Structure formats: structure tokens, C-alpha cells
Amino acid sequence: MHTRVGVHIRMRSSLTELLQRADSLDLPFFQCFFVPQETGKLIQVTNEEVRAFLKVRRTRFKDLYCHVSYWVNLSSLGNNGFPQLRREINFAKRLEFTHFVLHAGNAKGAINKNPGIDALARSLNDLFEQERDISVLLENSCHGNLAVGSDITDFKWLLEKIDKPERINFCIDTAHAHSFGYAITTLEDQKNFINFLDETIGIDRIKLIHLNDTAEHLGCRIDRHSIIGQGIIGEDALKNFIMHPQLEHIPLLLELPDLSVEDELVVLNKVREW
Ligand SMILES: [Zn+2]
């Protein structure tokens, strides 16, 4: 089995379906939401389903990634969704998910990002007090204005406010980086971006790459993923980026548009062959 590449699986109905999809794609790990964007509600499962899931999960997978829902906005000065985050984490822990991918949100209610970064730090400090064994990966976004973590330097300031900075790791999304304005199309661009990542957050803290292409131009700040090879960043650039000696050890996760298993396998196999 190819061990570096996983995908985001859309949870439609049940945990069984999740495992079936992972099997059809022969995945070493996967990511999913437990709060589908369509419903905004945590999925319902029975104890029996959980037991059946765990039986397969324990023999088949080591790392599993839960993508925290977008309703959680830890940088907001008002209702930040921390209780919602707790519910999602508790749910995913029952299923023995190991990693939590989280967007930093935006400094809603503030006039600039700084109070938002402070709020985010407070929430994460609380979370790390309560949770000793989960891995949190903050993901870069692509939105402008008060969005925290589109500009990677926000994460540098965040790290200075965290009691246990060793608990924070990052997921870099290639489509979001491009949409925010970080060029990664040429080798020179890639070298500059990788150096910048190392200076701001440190390459050692990057534990996952969301390998996505985008339909949007550099710096447009719109989040629209494309199938790898059909977007603006392009296949060669993405391949060179993830095969860069400083990044080649980092797991990859594809967040593709809704595709059939067959079509998804075509993309997946292409990346597996790189
Ligand atoms: Zn992503």
C-alpha cells in the first residue's frame, strides 16, 4: 500500500460507508467532517456502529484526521464555538481519531486581527489543558480582512502566545496558499515559500499537506478547489512542491470535488506515482 497519500471522504450516511470508501480507495488514512456542511449537525451513531467501526479502525489505520467544522471560530471575540469544538472532539475521540484539522477562523467583532489571535491563543491554551493526547493541526486559509491564518505570519504571533507551543502543528493547503497570494508555481517561488514557512512556523511543525489545486488566480482570496491537473497551479508545480527535499516526508491529503470512486482513483493513483 502507498502510505503517503490520503483523501477527504464525504460522510453521507454511516460509519460503515466511510470505511467502505476508504477500502475501495485503498487508503492508509483519511479525513472527514463529523458535522456535514449540508446539515450543520453532528452525525448520529449507535454504540453498535461505533464498536464495528473501532474493530476495523484498530487493525487497519494508525492516523485518522477529523476536520473540525467551520462553525467553530476560535478567533471570534463573541460566541467562538468552543463548546461545539468540544463536542466534535469528544465524538471523534470515541472513534479514536488522532488528528484535528482546524481553521483559525476570523477576528469577528474586532477592528484588526490581533485581539482575534489573542482569543485563539486563549482557547487553544484551554484545550491543551483539557486534552493531553490529541494532535491539533492549524490550517492556513485563503480569506482576507479579519481572517486569521491566511497570512502565515499570524501563526508566528500565535505561537508566542501559546503556553505549550510544542502542542501546535500545522497543515498547509496548497490551494489556500495560492489563493491568498503565496506563489508556488515556479521552483524559485517554491523555494521562497518553503523558506518563509521555515522562518515563520518551522518546517518541523508542518505535519500534513492538503494537496489541492485551485480554479482561482493568485491572490484572489476565493476558496475553490480543482481536481489536481485541472487547476491553475498545475500538476508539475504541485508535484515539485510536495517532492521538495524539505517536504517529501509530510503526509498528503487530497480534498477533491465530489467524484465517483473510479474518478477519484484516477487522481489518487496519479499522485501515488509521483
Ligand atoms: Zn484544506
Side-chain angles (χ1 to χ4, degrees):
M1 182 195 283
H2 194 291
T3 56
R4 193 186 176 194
V5 196
V7 299
H8 179 92
I9 302 181
R10 278 179 180 71
M11 174 79 94
R12 287 187 176 81
S13 57
S14 68
L15 296 176
T16 320
E17 208 187 88
L18 201 57
L19 292 176
Q20 274 165 1
R21 183 90 179 184
D23 241 9
S24 328
L25 298 170
D26 199 21
L27 299 178
F29 57 86
F30 61 86
Q31 169 185 284
C32 64
F33 281 116
F34 288 118
V35 179
Q37 272 162 306
E38 300 77 36
T39 63
K41 291 200 181 86
L42 201 60
I43 61 154
Q44 300 281 322
V45 290
T46 63
N47 288 337
E48 212 167 306
E49 281 177 286
V50 172
R51 267 197 299 275
F53 179 88
L54 287 177
K55 214 169 139 193
V56 180
R57 187 258 170 275
R58 285 176 186 157
T59 52
R60 176 87 162 66
F61 302 103
K62 186 168 147 276
D63 298 329
L64 290 180
Y65 298 80
C66 164
H67 196 306
V68 174
S69 70
Y70 291 107
W71 282 273
V72 173
N73 178 7
L74 300 184
S75 298
S76 154
L77 300 197
N79 174 14
N80 72 356
F82 193 76
Q84 167 79 16
L85 173 67
R86 292 265 17 143
R87 279 194 291 276
E88 291 185 34
I89 289 177
N90 289 341
F91 183 91
K93 275 176 69 183
R94 253 178 99 198
L95 301 171
E96 300 180 2
F97 273 61
T98 50
H99 294 67
F100 293 81
V101 180
L102 177 70
H103 282 272
N106 63 72
K108 201 174 161 199
I111 47 164
N112 63 45
K113 286 189 281 183
N114 296 341
I117 297 173
D118 288 340
L120 174 63
R122 282 194 298 275
S123 284
L124 290 172
N125 284 334
D126 287 347
L127 182 67
F128 295 143
E129 271 303 311
Q130 296 164 13
E131 295 290 342
R132 313 224 164 239
D133 54 1
I134 58 167
S135 168
V136 172
L137 308 179
L138 285 173
E139 178 177 352
N140 64 312
S141 305
C142 67
H143 304 292
N145 301 321
L146 294 174
V148 173
S150 299
D151 180 341
I152 308 279
T153 50
D154 295 345
F155 289 144
K156 180 182 155 96
W157 308 131
L158 174 76
L159 284 168
E160 291 177 7
K161 297 167 197 278
I162 294 286
D163 300 335
K164 298 188 178 86
E166 68 281 4
R167 292 289 307 273
I168 301 253
N169 288 302
F170 296 96
C171 165
I172 296 298
D173 188 308
T174 50
H176 296 168
H178 175 94
S179 296
F180 183 69
Y182 296 117
I184 54 165
T185 36
T186 69
L187 291 177
E188 187 66 18
D189 290 339
Q190 293 177 8
K191 193 175 105 202
N192 292 337
F193 184 53
I194 292 167
N195 285 341
F196 169 72
L197 289 173
D198 204 27
E199 283 157 17
T200 46
I201 55 175
I203 296 294
D204 292 348
R205 278 204 168 85
I206 303 173
K207 302 294 187 195
L208 183 68
I209 292 175
H210 276 175
L211 181 65
N212 298 314
D213 208 333
T214 176
E216 302 292 338
H217 65 84
L218 183 70
C220 70
R221 305 192 171 179
I222 297 169
D223 191 3
R224 198 150 64 91
H225 292 183
S226 299
I227 295 171
I228 290 163
Q230 297 180 16
I232 285 191
I233 305 174
E235 211 172 304
D236 287 345
L238 288 171
K239 178 179 170 183
N240 289 333
F241 183 69
I242 58 125
M243 297 310 285
H244 187 282
Q246 281 182 277
L247 307 182
E248 66 182 357
H249 62 286
I250 304 173
L252 309 171
L253 206 138
L254 278 54
E255 297 176 311
L256 294 163
D258 208 357
L259 298 174
S260 66
V261 173
E262 294 71 30
D263 290 346
E264 202 153 271
L265 267 174
V266 171
V267 186
L268 197 54
N269 286 336
K270 178 159 63 185
V271 177
R272 282 166 170 159
E273 280 162 23
W274 285 357

